[in-house]
Amino acid sequence: MILPTKHIPLDRSLLGAGAILLRQLESPLTPTAIWDLTKHAPEIGTYGRFILVLDFLYAISAIDLVDGLVVKRELS
């Protein structure tokens, strides 16, 4: 479910959904604003899955929460 496998295609994995979400983070946004932008994407699907994707991206240090806004972290 996290990574694509033989039985889980990229668009159904959290990694694939995370890529969709990261494309929307050109500037800092609230979680609600990100949900509004991505809720119709088939890779995201449900609100529960959206939260899992946010958790996954935070766990791998791809995003951070600053003053209530989700920001994309820069590569170092």
Side-chain angles (χ1 to χ4, degrees), residues 10-69:
L10 179 63
D11 63 333
R12 299 305 313 154
S13 68
L14 292 181
L15 183 66
I20 300 298
L21 200 143
L22 283 174
R23 279 192 228 139
Q24 301 300 322
L25 283 176
E26 295 300 320
S27 62
L29 295 170
T30 64
T32 303
I34 300 168
W35 169 244
D36 288 338
L37 291 171
T38 60
K39 65 183 170 186
H40 297 294
E43 297 85 0
I44 303 295
T46 65
Y47 187 74
R49 184 166 164 83
F50 169 74
I51 295 301
L52 281 175
V53 173
L54 282 179
D55 287 345
F56 171 70
L57 292 174
Y58 184 79
I60 65 168
S61 299
I63 61 172
D64 211 350
L65 189 64
V66 178
D67 296 328
L69 298 175

